[in-house]
Amino acid sequence: MHDLVHDLAQAVVGSHECAIVKVSELKNDFKGRRLQFIFDDELSTTFPETLSSLKKLRTIIILKPSSCLDLNKFSSNKRLRVLHFGFPGADLSKLPHSSARLRHLRYLHLSSFDLSEVTNDKSIHKFYNLQTLWLDLNHCNSLIAFPTSVTGLKFLRFLDMSFTPIETVPNFVTSLHNLQTLDVSSCSRLKALPEYVSGLADVRIFDFKACPLLEALPKDLGALTHLRYLSLNGTEIKVLPESCSNLSNLEFVHLSWCELPKEAKNWTNLGEFLYFKNETPTGIVKLVLLQGLSYKVPENVKNKPECNNGIADLRNLNFLEELFINHLQNVKDPVDAERANLKGEQNLRMLQLRWDEEMLGMTWDRNSCSFRVFEALQPNTSLRRLNILNFMGCELPTWMCVSSCLPKLDNLEFGNCREIKQLPAAIGQLQHLRFLTLRRMSLISLDIGGFSSLLQLSLTDMFLLKELCYSHPSLQYLNINGCNSLFEIPSLN
């Protein structure tokens, strides 16, 4: 910390507000509120009395283990609000005795501790005022159920039981009405969530991603109207409850392979929306706060007006930073692509344009619809990363042939653009381009001598490439794979 800032902080909180103290040097005249202990000796017999005399002490932090550490010796100070043990190895067998005294505790961090020796789980519920309980039960392979004592923590706001062998989240957890975060992610044996969760009305984060046995969500998940985060990634959940349309405060959604909701227009605070399905839910383009979107251009189907909105509706998403556009072959009118107004997306940093692989083998000239769509999708000059996948034109659009159109581009990838036989000279003139990836293109020769800032070049399955010219010292990483016609590479010295 800068000296001036340090002095200001001390002036505000006082020089004795927080201190790092060796156990052997602890004195009963300490006036601070926060202590970090360093164990340099065995605890003296007077330690509990000394600790209890520190009337202002509210926080104890211990980051390094000691053989003499157990919670019972710290419970002599009944005024403690925070106990943080940031290491494994403490003796928790006396947890029941400590909990009877530390009734004002708000925060208890026991991460990485082996709780298998704690036989009386009713001890936890005596921490009446606990708001945050941080546990890591990785080593308790026999503990496959939530401890019922958790229900006594009426003020608990944060509960993390990720990476544990639990098999169910029982219904009684919904009695924790003040809970704001419930994390049961990466629980490989978890099979079931509570059937109804309306009792968790204050929950902001309910994290159950990476639970591969989980197949269903609570029926009334939509009752969690404060929910900010919803990720089904790594689960077997295939259907969203209809009530989810009420989750108007969602900010992040990853639906993985789940069926998409019929309507997403009520998710008005959504900042990022990811999914693997090939269709796009109606109403998604009305979520004007989106910063990240994987968009599938809908196929124009007769008698289905909701499929006819098309790519033009992207013009309303002015806060986009990352945009993945798929199924571009479904854009039948370049005017719609122009109306998407990617050139006006000033916040756009990453853009991926993708046609389906079924289009491979076709060749598009400058008059074809697909080429004119590509031309109309010119991005803003603020773009940093651009991916072009499965484009079958033999030429690139005008805006990729003028370096001033992409002045900030840092990362460029071409994949399966098999008709491109030569890169425009303008690409070599991009002053900020550091990463270039080429896959399955028809280039015979590649001269990267003009790439003044290039750090990484990756060439994959460039079957016709015979010559690679290089004359600039900036390159640090070169990956060549499947370039069977390339018999010689230049020296990188």
Side-chain angles (χ1 to χ4, degrees):
M1 185 184 293
H2 192 281
D3 289 345
L4 293 177
V5 178
H6 178 268
D7 293 343
L8 176 61
Q10 281 199 331
V12 173
V13 303
S15 59
H16 300 291
E17 178 69 13
C18 183
I20 301 175
V21 177
K22 293 181 179 180
V23 171
S24 61
E25 298 176 358
L26 182 64
K27 298 179 181 179
N28 56 16
D29 60 349
F30 177 73
K31 304 298 183 183
R33 297 173 63 86
R34 299 172 179 85
L35 264 179
Q36 178 181 328
F37 277 120
I38 297 178
F39 284 87
D40 59 341
D41 201 354
E42 293 291 327
L43 291 180
S44 67
T45 56
T46 61
F47 177 79
E49 289 78 11
T50 302
L51 194 63
S52 64
S53 67
L54 305 181
K55 306 297 184 183
K56 293 185 178 181
L57 187 62
R58 297 294 183 269
T59 299
I60 290 179
I61 299 173
I62 302 173
L63 300 179
K64 295 183 178 180
S66 171
S67 59
C68 58
L69 178 61
D70 69 67
L71 281 177
N72 196 42
K73 294 181 180 179
F74 291 88
S75 62
S76 59
N77 191 320
K78 300 178 182 180
R79 305 170 186 83
L80 287 177
R81 303 293 192 271
V82 175
L83 269 177
H84 181 103
F85 300 100
F87 61 90
D91 178 9
L92 300 181
S93 61
K94 298 181 180 179
L95 181 64
H97 304 286
S98 304
S99 62
R101 301 178 184 179
L102 298 174
R103 298 186 178 182
H104 295 288
L105 207 63
R106 302 288 197 274
Y107 177 99
L108 178 60
H109 188 288
L110 302 175
S111 182
S112 299
F113 284 176
D114 183 356
L115 300 184
S116 58
E117 298 299 323
V118 182
T119 57
N120 181 8
D121 74 346
K122 294 182 179 180
S123 60
I124 297 178
H125 84 277
K126 295 181 180 179
F127 293 119
Y128 299 117
N129 294 293
L130 201 65
Q131 296 179 358
T132 298
L133 174 62
W134 198 307
L135 302 176
D136 187 338
L137 307 181
N138 276 329
H139 306 290
C140 299
N141 294 325
S142 60
L143 186 60
I144 60 174
F146 256 60
T148 57
S149 57
V150 169
T151 58
L153 307 178
K154 299 300 183 183
F155 294 99
L156 194 67
R157 296 184 181 180
F158 180 96
L159 179 59
D160 183 351
M161 296 192 71
S162 58
F163 295 94
T164 66
I166 59 172
E167 297 182 356
T168 62
V169 178
N171 291 327
F172 62 69
V173 172
T174 62
S175 65
L176 301 175
H177 302 309
N178 290 297
L179 205 63
Q180 295 183 0
T181 297
L182 176 57
D183 189 347
V184 291
S185 62
S186 301
C187 294
S188 59
R189 302 182 187 178
L190 184 64
K191 299 178 180 179
L193 299 173
E195 186 175 6
Y196 297 98
V197 292
S198 58
L200 300 175
D202 283 342
V203 162
R204 270 68 170 167
I205 297 176
F206 188 4
D207 193 351
F208 41 80
K209 67 177 181 293
C211 296
L213 302 182
L214 202 58
E215 297 182 351
L217 288 171
K219 297 179 179 179
D220 63 342
L221 189 68
L224 307 184
T225 55
H226 293 290
L227 199 66
R228 304 287 195 271
Y229 174 96
L230 177 62
S231 177
L232 309 184
N233 194 29
T235 71
E236 288 298 314
I237 298 170
K238 296 295 189 291
V239 179
L240 281 179
E242 293 184 5
S243 63
C244 287
S245 61
N246 299 323
L247 299 175
S248 58
N249 286 302
L250 282 174
E251 296 175 359
F252 175 91
V253 170
H254 190 331
L255 294 184
S256 189
W257 293 102
C258 179
E259 292 294 331
L260 300 181
K262 296 180 181 179
E263 286 284 352
K265 63 182 181 181
N266 293 330
W267 295 352
T268 54
N269 289 316
L270 204 61
E272 187 164 355
F273 186 46
L274 303 173
Y275 57 100
F276 298 149
K277 286 287 186 177
N278 287 332
E279 65 269 18
T280 296
T282 59
I284 193 69
V285 293
K286 297 180 181 179
L287 309 181
V288 295
L289 297 181
L290 276 176
Q291 298 176 8
L293 174 63
S294 177
Y295 180 79
K296 278 78 171 177
V297 179
E299 185 177 0
N300 194 317
V301 179
K302 293 182 179 180
N303 302 321
K304 288 190 176 181
E306 69 273 12
C307 295
N308 301 327
N309 296 327
I311 195 174
D313 285 339
L314 290 176
R315 66 183 181 274
N316 299 318
L317 307 180
N318 297 322
F319 292 95
L320 281 175
E321 296 181 5
E322 296 185 358
L323 176 60
F324 302 80
I325 306 180
N326 302 290
H327 306 320
L328 274 169
Q329 72 279 356
N330 290 336
V331 183
K332 303 303 182 182
D333 190 343
V335 174
D336 288 337
E338 186 174 357
R339 288 173 179 169
N341 192 28
L342 297 190
K343 192 174 182 179
E345 296 282 358
Q346 299 182 7
N347 296 300
L348 195 61
R349 299 295 181 266
M350 194 281 172
L351 174 63
Q352 177 173 295
L353 303 177
R354 184 185 189 116
W355 289 260
D356 281 2
E357 291 191 12
E358 64 187 34
M359 308 303 292
L360 299 179
M362 302 176 62
T363 302
W364 304 326
D365 59 26
R366 297 187 68 88
N367 294 320
S368 66
C369 178
S370 292
F371 183 90
R372 288 183 292 136
V373 166
F374 195 180
E375 184 76 63
L377 291 174
Q378 178 178 351
N380 191 272
T381 55
S382 62
L383 196 70
R384 301 292 179 87
R385 180 171 181 174
L386 176 62
N387 294 356
I388 308 297
L389 305 178
N390 303 332
F391 175 67
M392 287 293 101
C394 56
E395 298 181 61
L396 292 173
T398 304
W399 53 268
M400 292 198 71
C401 300
V402 180
S403 59
S404 60
C405 292
L406 299 169
K408 298 181 180 180
L409 198 67
D410 171 79
N411 192 317
L412 177 61
E413 176 181 349
F414 289 96
N416 274 331
C417 300
R418 301 184 183 182
E419 298 300 318
I420 302 295
K421 296 179 173 59
Q422 184 175 359
L423 293 181
I427 291 180
Q429 298 168 5
L430 296 173
Q431 296 182 1
H432 296 283
L433 188 66
R434 297 188 299 161
F435 305 93
L436 178 61
T437 300
L438 305 178
R439 293 185 291 107
R440 292 183 178 269
M441 298 179 70
S442 298
L443 276 67
I444 297 176
S445 176
L446 177 62
D447 185 353
I448 59 172
F451 291 73
S452 60
S453 300
L454 196 64
L455 299 179
Q456 179 173 316
L457 174 63
S458 180
L459 305 173
T460 302
D461 295 338
M462 303 282 286
F463 301 118
L464 302 180
L465 187 65
K466 296 181 178 180
E467 184 179 19
L468 178 61
C469 303
Y470 172 79
S471 60
H472 203 279
S474 63
L475 196 68
Q476 298 178 4
Y477 179 84
L478 175 61
N479 178 47
I480 301 176
N481 184 32
C483 300
N484 299 335
S485 299
L486 185 65
F487 296 105
E488 182 179 356
I489 61 172
S491 172
L492 300 182
N493 294 329

